[in-house]
Amino acid sequence: MTLIEYSSESQRIAVDEIIDQFTIDRDKLDEIVSHFIKEMRKGLNAPVKSIPNGTENGTYLALDLGGTNLRVCQITFWGSGKLAIKQEKYEISDSLKTGHHSQLFDFIADCIHQFLIHLGDVHDSTLSLGFTFSFPVDQTAIHKGALLRWTKGFSAAEAVGRDVVEMLHEALERKNVPVKVVAMVNDTVGTLLAHAYENPTTIMGVILGTGTNAAYVEKLDNIRKLNLNGSGDMIINMEWGAFDNERQVLRLTPYDEKLDQLSLNPGEQLFEKLISGDYLGKITHNVLLDLVGRNLLFSGRSSNKFDNIGAVRTPHMSIIEADATDDLAYAKQLLEVEFEIPETTLTDRQIVQRICCAVGLRAARLSACALCAIIKHLGVENQKSAVGIDGSLFEFHPGFKHNLKQTMREILGNNADNINLEQARDGSGVGAALAALYAEKDHADFSSQL
Ligand code: BGC
């Protein structure tokens, strides 16, 4: 990064202090990894048995709810790792996310209906569907599980505590859509299943997108809470977004605190709030507003547009972080034209870029801690393995992949090179369809409640 010519000493000090707060040094990395491993051993949850080997075949519907869009897919598995997908995406409005659950599920039922009409596939016989539902669920069977809490800006009323599949079935009945939900999985589980279908060395499915979480393959012997005999593997949904809500090792900056306080779920999902796409833009915005308020940025001048809550989103950070022009022309365009800031100097734009990079870097370093904790817990550092990762942050955020890998090298040394971080696409759709396939063929084996 180029040297910044600060306009005053107090500006330099303020920016350096902020960067410091977002910095995670080597010792802190180790502390977070150790605490993560301890927490993992305390509570393992939501097991699903069996992972694919690529030979599965059949045609299934899949539904994906939990990111920015709703997706309905039809997936045909040809065996030998090959498949074909037809899909449609539907935008979920904020009012649906935060209204009554029946409106949200009615909308989903309508989308499935519309999809089937486009497919020309509406007949009397009932179709089987796998549902990727990407929120914390207390799952008691392959097609049964109560919503524990909403995350990522959802808060649809009277849903927490209710069986998710039941809510969807009620809506499908209300709308007369001949579809039966035979399996429900988390997106991380779907990603793991789908990636394992392509690459059998897969040990983990990770989402680094609007939200963040991971699922991994655990040896049965390790699951102390389960009173099961025998050996084999099980998939564990970590729900790592809720890691260290007790703040034993996580340090929140005042900007993170503000984000948390204004969120729909204060005190919850703290790890996720420091990492995922739903939040990074908001944290950055909080920093920039603070600097403007202290007359240390944009000569203290903001705009109505820039003052709006939620004005800065994570994709804006991507534009600024990726700006390699001498005068940060893309950042200038964004700040002055889109956000209507009256005027910005090169120093202003360099400061903004430095802040964006610091927030993005912290997210990548924290993600690396979580990944390495699972790898160490499994003791697979020396083994060539694949991690399937999906989500906009991993796929598109500038420098994210590089920072993630670099931090893994800091934690694991050369062993980090045994772990392939692979782009997983469509895990939510394909994984849900695979889960449906298992459920129908009676391969699925969910534990009784833990
Ligand atoms: C949810 C997880 C999900 C993750 C990624 C989190 O907010 O709690 O269930 O896997 O987002 O979508």
Side-chain angles (χ1 to χ4, degrees), residues 134-136 151-152 186-188 207 211-213 239 269 272:
S134 307
F135 300 94
T151 59
K152 297 175 286 195
N186 186 264
D187 51 356
T188 55
I207 302 290
T212 185
N213 187 17
E239 285 300 338
Q269 302 289 113
E272 173 165 88

Side-chain angles (χ1 to χ4, degrees), residues 63 68-72 87-93 107-108 110-116 118:
L63 177 70
T68 313
N69 297 301
L70 173 77
R71 265 185 335 138
V72 189
Q87 62 165 335
E88 269 167 38
K89 272 189 190 174
Y90 307 85
E91 201 182 323
I92 315 168
S93 65
F107 170 76
I108 298 173
D110 283 338
C111 292
I112 298 175
H113 198 204
Q114 207 177 312
F115 178 75
L116 293 178
H118 283 173

Side-chain angles (χ1 to χ4, degrees), residues 361-372:
L361 176 63
R362 182 184 64 168
R365 286 174 79 72
L366 288 173
S367 313
C369 289
L371 272 168
C372 292

Side-chain angles (χ1 to χ4, degrees), residues 148-161:
L148 289 170
R149 57 186 182 276
W150 287 116
T151 59
K152 297 175 286 195
F154 280 72
S155 64
E158 293 182 44
V160 171

